[in-house]
Amino acid sequence: METQGFKKIYTKITQITKATCSLQASGIGYEEMATVNGRLAQVVKLQGDNVTLQIFSGTEGIPTNAEVVFLGRPPVLKVSDELAGRFFNAYGEPIDGGPEVEGEVREIGGPSVNPVRRKQPSELIATGIAGIDLNNTLVTGQKIPFFADPDQPYNQVMAMVALRAKADKIILGGMGLTNDDYLYYKNVFDNAGALDRIISFVNTTENPPVERLLVPDMALTAAEYFAFDKKETVLVLLTDMTLYADALSIVSNRMDQIPSKDSMPGSLYSDLAKIYEKAVQFPEGGSITIIAVTTLSSGDITHAIPDNTGYITEGQLFLRRDSDIGKVIVDPFRSLSRLKQLVIGKQTRKDHPQVMNAAVRLYADAANAKTKLENGFDLTDYDVRTMSFAREYSNDLLAIDVNIDTTAMLDTAWDLFGKHFTKAEVGIKQEFVDSYWPE
Amino acid sequence: MEENKLTTGKVSGIIANLVIVEVNGPVSQNEICFINLAGVRLMAEVIKVLGNKAYTQVFESTRGLKVGEPVEFMGHMLEVTLGPGILSKNFDGLQNDLDTMVGTFLKRGEYTAAIDVDKAWDFTPVAKAGDVVVAGDWLGEVKENWIGHKIMVPFKFEGKYTVKSVKPAGTYKASETIAVVTNADGSEINISMIQKWPVKVPIRAYTDKPRPYRLMETGVRIIDTMNPIVEGGTGFIPGPFGSGKTVLQHALSKQAEADLIIVAACGERANEVVEIFTEFPELDDPRTGRKLMERTTIIANTSNMPVAAREASVYTAMTIGEYYRSMGLKVLLLADSTSRWAQALREMSNRMEELPGPDAFPMDLPAIISSFYARAGYVFLNNGSTGSITFIGTVSPAGGNLKEPVTESTKKAARCFFALSQQRADSKRYPAVDPIDSYSKYLEYPELQEYLAANIAPDWLANVLEAKNILLRGKEAYEQINILGDDGVPIDYHLRYWKSEVIDFVILQQDAFDKIDCSAPIVRQKEMLEKVLGVCRADFDFDNFEDVNPWFKRVINVFKQMNYSLYQSEDYKKYETELVEVINERKVA
Ligand SMILES: Nc1ncnc2c1ncn2[C@@H]1O[C@H](COP(=O)(O)OP(=O)(O)O)[C@@H](O)[C@H]1O
Ligand SMILES: [Mg+2]
């Protein structure tokens, strides 16, 4: 695979564990790549002449006399416009039968953008989904995950958002993706005629889990090339980051590190932040927006993976099945877009922030009324009205199958206010009530 | 201080940013060294010594580093440079000036000067020949933005010195000698506007640190009215993600009545720092009429920047705060989030395979946190004037559970507890400070009680305590209603609950993104509290509990319109009149 002039070759491994092997070698750089009997590996520890290598595809069948070749460089990706429309594995090797990509060799997992060289994100991304555009508006340069149980249709929603987002490039980083889901993405993008805008780095369930660790960095190195060098609008989709974190914990457990909460490595926050913080708006115009998926185990957001993610990302979109209307909705309580205030009421109609908050508050009242009902109490007239409001709000606005523009969303909300409540109950600033309260 | 022959060494082991160095001479704990990586010098700090092995944490990525590379030790700890020109800067955690760095991406080994030593300043002398001075005494003053920046006897000077000469008023470069002093032996020492200080050592150039007592106005009602912070006080804001820690801190940084603000963005989002340096240069400081950025300094070590420098960043910020406090200024120091700093300590401690404490944090975490908070405070300087550092940190508890080591340790160290509640955030009751669990210990200080009585109103404290009590009783009533049902309780329970809701909606809740509501001066807070208590104390006539909710909603709505209106404006007065009308509909005379 590599055709470099100078390579160091060793054949005496002194220690083998499930994920690593060690040997005596000198002049080796930290995080340098190597091959062990042809399998890719990376230096994770140097102690005197003792070098520990993490073998991405595992150590099964590795003999003590395996041929270890050091490549003299960290993991890299060749970047150029030829990446567009191509499908790669976690190592950046083509899996679509096409030729090798020629281009500039870049280290993956490179340095961070100087914070003073960033621009404040300001471009709204319209998705047509009111649960997103009305309550949790997205902005270019944002990083935000879907929090969803494994049975939610997050891959479908993400593909829909990606296609509506008007990005110059869509980069898919698939980690532990089932082959079916991988083909689903390929099909959707193909049918939309978007294949030439797509670049994929995919590790499927058929590949060794530790290889996933390379996927986000590969995807983001390609993203930086298009966003920074080419000043394009780039959307990066990372699915499923929970499986990425699981791979991190496999490696750290095998290296005998002390686990912290939920058997995750103590560095989980920093590890995830390094990925998500690649989201950026450059002043020169290019941007990287990251939409990710973090699957939950039965809705538990206190688990270390969603918890650390929530502390890093600029909000989260929480998908939930609403049994009252039999549809999947973007839950207004658990969801949040932290960048929404940069655009709502500015690039959207002025009443947007107040309408959004009032509707969610009334929806919360409905939840309380529902609890009352479940506990066997009589409902007041107001309770009954909030509950019928909630059903319509959920169906007409929160459901993921809604596809309208933001002004229509706001008008719908005002119609629902007028139908179910008095002006005082809605409690919005007088100037907006004067302009938008329906007759 | 500085040694002539510096120790050197060779890299012998590398695990992520922990680098083990074999040394050939003496090294000290926390000493700074530079590790060579193919010509690039990486800065590192000694965090443990075992025999001839120094364990160092590198402030940069170690990718590509090799065993055997040479290391130079510097003979001093991590230091910051202090002098005019710090204000309005954007520094990283090691005080490198981010604006003078080249290129879009951070390059490791690129260290930029914190202060431009060639910049000229208009200097006015304060001391004169013959004065006897000690560390921290004022020698002269320059104008930095609008602040009178004092040039002081360097903090490292021990004992007494006699001023030999001070430069007359004029324009001098920061690096020029502006004063000459003689020590006990009669040798002369030149002093410039610039000095250095190790960040992990507190600056103690003050005579006394009394209990703080002056209210620090923040414009945030749930703080000023309900849980006040004082000049030189400490507080912390724990809360799960998305509960409003950063928004609250940003509000404080915009509105708090301080001379200058130091914001340490410690292991959080880069975009939140971008927000500050994008918006602050445009926003006015209502007190001075200048731009907010003129009083603000940012220490940005965001989550994707090297982990070891994250730990350093809070110390860098505190040291800069202490420097300005020594000039007799009111400093507000904000750190978001101190949990990230604790996590940085945890990452290193794990790499060194130390015996872990609770949740794998280092055993001495509580001590580290409390000695950091102890550096804040209100002080009397040598010349009798006062200065203060008010410190408010956020805490990001894992899983939102407040029973975790960082929250528990901080609770012992900080005197104000602004607990953000997930439930309040979910129902958009911002700021989501829990009205029942949160507290300000300062409210129990007789010194502050006297101050409030003299400066706001004699019955102010009684009113605040009454409001807190109404909130508590309202919560109890609400629980009863939930257990027994709306019609299973006397109407009085509904009234009690709704009175507490009035306080909640009108006093506690505040829209940080509304131009007017975001900040309420204390006179306005006083008026609102009195009006709201007027409602709470009154008796109302209701036959049916179903009428209670809609009527109180109307009351709350009018109150809210008042909060959204310019104080004492025509609109404000219109709603004030309307409020009286609505109240009189039900009020029992
Ligand atoms: N006082 C407030 N007024 C209005 N919205 C708020 C307020 N505080 C927080 N929010 C909302 O909550 C979101 C998260 O707040 P943030 O301070 O970033 O949370 P944290 O730092 O605790 O994770 C904000 O983006 C904003 O939408
Ligand atoms: Mg925050």
Side-chain angles (χ1 to χ4, degrees):
Chain A
M1 23 172 31
E2 294 279 323
T3 47
Q4 251 170 276
F6 176 68
K7 281 184 212 165
K8 299 174 197 140
I9 301 182
Y10 298 82
T11 53
K12 211 170 146 209
I13 292 177
T14 53
Q15 198 191 342
I16 305 176
T17 69
K18 272 188 181 168
T20 65
C21 70
S22 305
L23 68 155
Q24 301 285 314
S26 59
I28 306 303
Y30 190 69
E31 290 187 0
E32 182 172 334
M33 295 298 278
T35 58
V36 180
N37 268 6
R39 298 184 201 176
L40 269 174
Q42 187 172 23
V43 175
V44 290
K45 190 169 175 177
L46 289 167
Q47 229 155 10
D49 281 343
N50 193 34
V51 180
T52 305
L53 286 165
Q54 166 184 303
I55 303 177
F56 289 105
S57 56
T59 52
E60 290 84 355
I62 291 288
T64 49
N65 64 349
E67 190 180 79
V68 181
V69 182
F70 286 95
L71 304 179
R73 55 151 183 84
V76 293
L77 175 72
K78 283 187 183 163
V79 294
S80 73
D81 291 347
E82 290 178 19
L83 287 169
R86 301 293 308 274
F87 288 79
F88 304 94
N89 65 12
Y91 305 113
E93 297 161 350
I95 50 169
D96 52 6
E100 286 280 333
V101 167
E102 290 311 317
E104 189 191 323
V105 176
R106 294 242 172 118
E107 283 186 21
I108 68 165
S112 312
V113 172
N114 182 339
V116 304
R117 303 282 184 266
R118 287 170 176 261
K119 184 175 174 270
Q120 187 169 39
S122 60
E123 288 303 316
L124 182 149
I125 300 177
T127 69
I129 301 170
I132 297 177
D133 296 3
L134 179 65
N135 290 339
N136 302 288
T137 324
L138 303 184
V139 185
T140 57
Q142 184 165 11
K143 47 193 175 287
I144 192 165
F146 282 99
F147 279 0
D149 279 347
D151 60 341
Q152 300 296 339
Y154 49 82
N155 282 325
Q156 285 82 330
V157 181
M158 199 153 87
M160 200 150 80
V161 169
L163 288 172
R164 291 183 194 163
K166 298 199 188 92
D168 297 323
K169 292 284 179 304
I170 300 169
I171 302 183
L172 174 67
M175 289 153 281
L177 211 56
T178 61
N179 204 50
D180 295 358
D181 284 338
Y182 166 56
L183 294 175
Y184 167 79
Y185 271 108
K186 226 175 152 173
N187 261 331
V188 172
F189 292 149
D190 199 2
N191 291 343
L195 266 190
D196 55 331
R197 295 194 283 138
I198 309 283
I199 302 149
S200 292
F201 295 89
V202 177
N203 154 279
T204 66
T205 41
E206 291 160 25
N207 306 127
V210 177
E211 285 180 8
R212 283 172 210 160
L213 296 179
L214 292 167
V215 168
D217 285 346
M218 284 285 170
L220 289 160
T221 303
E224 277 179 348
Y225 168 74
F226 287 106
F228 181 69
D229 297 42
K230 298 285 163 174
K231 304 185 177 37
E232 291 186 3
T233 312
V234 181
L235 182 63
V236 176
L237 311 176
L238 298 175
T239 174
D240 169 355
M241 287 299 284
T242 297
L243 297 178
Y244 171 85
D246 285 342
L248 278 179
S249 77
I250 294 174
V251 170
S252 77
N253 289 356
R254 285 178 187 168
M255 287 180 64
D256 297 328
Q257 283 168 7
I258 310 158
S260 59
K261 199 168 168 273
D262 298 322
S263 346
M264 285 291 142
S267 59
L268 180 65
Y269 178 84
S270 304
D271 296 335
L272 293 177
K274 264 203 93 89
I275 294 170
Y276 284 116
E277 280 290 331
K278 290 278 181 190
V280 61
Q281 174 74 57
F282 291 111
E284 298 81 9
S287 66
I288 299 174
T289 308
I290 301 178
I291 301 184
V293 168
T294 301
T295 47
L296 308 176
S297 118
S298 26
D300 179 13
I301 58 163
T302 63
H303 183 280
I305 300 171
D307 186 48
N308 278 282
T309 304
Y311 276 117
I312 293 163
T313 53
E314 283 149 346
Q316 63 280 337
L317 300 167
F318 197 99
L319 295 184
R320 172 170 76 79
R321 176 159 290 276
D322 182 344
S323 50
D324 289 345
I325 60 161
K327 287 182 182 177
V328 174
I329 63 166
V330 182
D331 187 321
F333 299 145
R334 320 305 282 289
S335 304
L336 169 71
S337 161
R338 291 163 187 268
L339 301 189
K340 63 175 184 277
Q341 46 266 4
L342 298 173
V343 292
I344 60 172
K346 295 172 185 160
Q347 287 172 36
T348 61
R349 216 164 67 189
K350 270 209 175 69
D351 55 324
H352 187 160
Q354 293 235 335
V355 170
M356 165 187 87
N357 283 330
V360 175
R361 222 173 18 240
L362 295 165
Y363 192 67
D365 285 349
N368 288 340
K370 208 173 158 196
T371 313
K372 250 193 206 174
L373 189 66
E374 282 160 4
N375 293 343
F377 293 124
D378 292 343
L379 296 183
T380 64
D381 162 56
Y382 178 75
D383 291 335
V384 174
R385 286 185 286 124
T386 54
M387 285 182 64
S388 45
F389 162 78
R391 238 180 330 270
E392 289 179 40
Y393 176 58
S394 192
N395 191 64
D396 301 352
L397 288 170
L398 299 179
I400 54 168
D401 59 1
V402 174
N403 184 10
I404 50 179
D405 70 28
T406 316
T407 307
M409 294 170 194
L410 292 169
D411 291 341
T412 306
W414 281 108
D415 284 343
L416 295 178
F417 292 160
K419 185 167 163 196
H420 300 281
F421 301 109
T422 66
K423 292 175 186 177
E425 282 167 341
V426 174
I428 289 181
K429 243 190 201 173
Q430 198 58 46
E431 61 169 294
F432 299 132
V433 175
D434 293 343
S435 323
Y436 300 112
W437 192 264
E439 292 323 310
Chain B
M1 258 170 271
E2 229 80 330
E3 286 179 36
N4 292 333
K5 203 178 156 300
L6 292 171
T7 299
T8 59
K10 280 198 330 251
V11 172
S12 72
I14 307 164
I15 311 159
N17 73 330
L18 174 68
V19 170
I20 302 156
V21 182
E22 244 173 57
V23 296
N24 65 6
V27 285
S28 49
Q29 177 72 341
N30 297 115
E31 184 169 345
I32 292 296
C33 62
F34 283 94
I35 300 170
N36 180 61
L37 192 160
V40 176
R41 295 169 83 231
L42 305 182
M43 192 164 160
E45 179 187 18
V46 176
I47 50 174
K48 175 166 116 177
V49 183
L50 257 186
N52 69 339
K53 291 219 159 87
Y55 287 67
T56 68
Q57 57 173 349
V58 184
F59 297 122
E60 307 277 2
S61 153
T62 53
R63 179 182 273 185
L65 184 62
K66 292 178 180 173
V67 166
E69 288 281 11
V71 181
E72 273 178 277
F73 288 81
M74 304 311 291
H76 63 75
M77 298 196 277
L78 178 66
E79 291 183 330
V80 288
T81 307
L82 302 170
I86 289 178
L87 232 56
S88 313
K89 281 264 169 69
N90 302 309
F91 295 120
D92 74 3
L94 305 175
Q95 210 201 8
N96 292 296
D97 186 342
L98 287 167
D99 287 285
T100 55
M101 288 185 178
V102 185
T104 298
F105 294 89
L106 296 167
K107 270 197 291 294
R108 60 179 169 182
E110 183 181 14
Y111 302 113
T112 53
I115 292 182
D116 179 1
V117 294
D118 291 328
K119 184 163 178 189
W121 299 87
D122 284 333
F123 174 82
T124 319
V126 171
K128 54 185 188 312
D131 286 357
V132 176
V133 291
V134 297
D137 281 355
W138 302 349
L139 296 170
E141 183 179 312
V142 300
K143 271 269 166 291
E144 182 184 17
N145 298 349
W146 57 277
I147 279 171
H149 183 118
K150 306 291 185 299
I151 308 300
M152 294 172 269
V153 176
F155 302 124
K156 281 185 183 171
F157 281 31
E158 288 168 20
K160 288 187 171 148
Y161 297 80
T162 308
V163 176
K164 181 157 181 277
S165 63
V166 183
K167 283 273 169 69
T171 306
Y172 307 97
K173 282 189 197 170
S175 57
E176 274 181 76
T177 297
I178 53 95
V180 180
V181 297
T182 53
N183 64 11
D185 313 334
S187 17
E188 292 183 2
I189 305 162
N190 294 337
I191 296 175
S192 74
M193 296 184 198
I194 310 263
Q195 59 167 316
K196 295 199 173 211
W197 185 261
V199 295
K200 290 200 177 154
V201 181
I203 294 175
R204 291 221 165 80
Y206 52 79
T207 53
D208 194 18
K209 202 177 202 179
R211 300 215 310 179
Y213 69 97
R214 284 171 66 106
L215 177 74
M216 173 178 259
E217 278 190 47
T218 68
V220 179
R221 291 186 289 263
I222 201 162
I223 295 183
D224 295 354
T225 298
M226 306 301 289
N227 304 292
I229 183 112
V230 291
E231 278 175 40
T234 52
F236 80 117
I237 310 172
F241 61 83
S243 56
K245 298 180 292 297
T246 306
V247 170
L248 185 54
Q249 273 211 339
H250 281 197
L252 297 176
S253 67
K254 286 176 194 161
Q255 297 158 201
E257 190 199 9
D259 294 325
L260 66 141
I261 311 282
I262 300 170
V263 180
C266 173
E268 292 284 309
R269 304 175 185 87
N271 275 338
E272 291 171 348
V273 185
V274 176
E275 184 179 329
I276 298 180
F277 63 65
T278 309
E279 293 177 2
F280 278 29
E282 310 297 326
L283 292 176
D284 292 320
D285 175 0
R287 262 167 290 273
T288 58
R290 315 281 296 236
K291 295 296 174 203
L292 274 180
M293 199 61 210
E294 292 192 46
R295 67 163 192 178
T296 309
T297 303
I298 300 171
I299 316 290
N301 198 267
T302 57
S303 58
N304 53 342
M305 288 161 82
V307 172
R310 202 191 282 172
E311 190 224 337
S313 68
V314 292
Y315 289 99
T316 298
M318 182 58 89
T319 309
I320 292 175
E322 288 172 329
Y323 175 62
Y324 281 97
R325 174 173 66 184
S326 306
M327 299 176 199
L329 296 169
K330 281 189 269 186
V331 179
L332 173 62
L333 181 64
L334 300 167
D336 188 12
S337 145
T338 58
S339 293
R340 305 300 162 220
W341 152 46
Q343 283 178 343
L345 295 173
R346 174 168 74 182
E347 283 186 33
M348 284 322 288
S349 152
N350 292 0
R351 271 179 206 129
M352 292 197 298
E353 294 172 4
E354 288 176 351
L355 199 63
D359 287 3
F361 282 106
M363 288 296 253
D364 55 349
L365 183 74
I368 294 173
I369 290 177
S370 79
S371 47
F372 186 80
Y373 273 80
R375 289 174 72 169
Y378 181 81
V379 300
F380 283 108
L381 303 173
N382 298 339
N383 65 4
S385 42
T386 61
S388 63
I389 296 176
T390 309
F391 176 62
I392 300 178
T394 64
V395 169
S396 319
N401 175 7
L402 298 190
K403 294 217 168 347
E404 57 89 46
V406 185
T407 315
E408 289 191 328
S409 308
T410 311
K411 209 166 176 183
K412 287 178 197 137
R415 311 244 81 197
C416 291
F417 176 59
F418 306 118
L420 300 189
S421 121
Q422 180 75 61
Q423 214 190 342
R424 288 184 70 84
D426 283 349
S427 52
K428 314 280 173 206
R429 294 184 178 221
Y430 293 121
V433 177
D434 188 308
I436 310 287
D437 293 346
S438 303
Y439 59 76
S440 161
K441 290 269 184 214
Y442 299 114
L443 221 41
E444 296 161 16
Y445 284 27
E447 297 96 319
L448 176 67
Q449 294 178 352
E450 273 168 38
Y451 182 89
L452 296 174
N455 288 278
I456 306 178
D459 59 353
W460 175 252
L461 181 66
N463 284 346
V464 170
L465 297 178
E466 185 181 344
K468 281 178 181 264
N469 195 37
I470 293 168
L471 285 166
L472 199 60
R473 284 165 50 91
K475 191 180 172 208
E476 289 162 3
Y478 183 67
E479 282 161 5
Q480 288 300 310
I481 296 170
N482 273 342
I483 296 170
L484 302 170
D486 283 323
D487 46 5
V489 295
I491 283 195
D492 184 47
Y493 279 55
H494 290 276
L495 289 173
R496 228 188 283 162
Y497 165 62
W498 275 101
K499 285 174 176 179
S500 74
E501 285 287 273
V502 176
I503 297 181
D504 194 330
F505 275 91
V506 182
I507 307 286
L508 307 186
Q509 295 176 40
Q510 195 169 2
D511 186 347
F513 303 113
D514 184 82
K515 270 197 199 69
I516 294 165
D517 193 31
C518 67
S519 180
I522 206 81
V523 278
R524 187 169 178 164
Q525 294 191 33
K526 171 173 176 281
E527 187 172 316
M528 275 325 233
L529 183 64
E530 284 165 358
K531 280 195 196 306
V532 165
L533 285 177
V535 172
C536 294
R537 287 168 187 153
D539 288 329
F540 298 104
D541 181 27
F542 285 98
D543 309 324
N544 186 341
F545 74 84
E546 293 233 19
D547 301 333
V548 175
N549 166 329
W551 183 79
F552 271 98
K553 284 232 160 108
R554 278 170 61 208
V555 171
I556 289 170
N557 186 40
V558 183
F559 265 126
K560 275 181 69 174
Q561 303 296 344
M562 279 177 84
N563 276 343
Y564 282 128
S565 309
L566 212 56
Y567 187 47
Q568 300 295 12
S569 65
E570 239 168 73
D571 272 350
Y572 183 91
K573 293 194 175 128
K574 188 186 87 196
Y575 292 121
E576 207 173 1
T577 319
E578 189 181 334
L579 185 66
V580 176
E581 289 164 13
V582 177
I583 290 174
N584 286 341
E585 284 175 23
R586 292 282 180 176
K587 193 167 168 175
V588 182

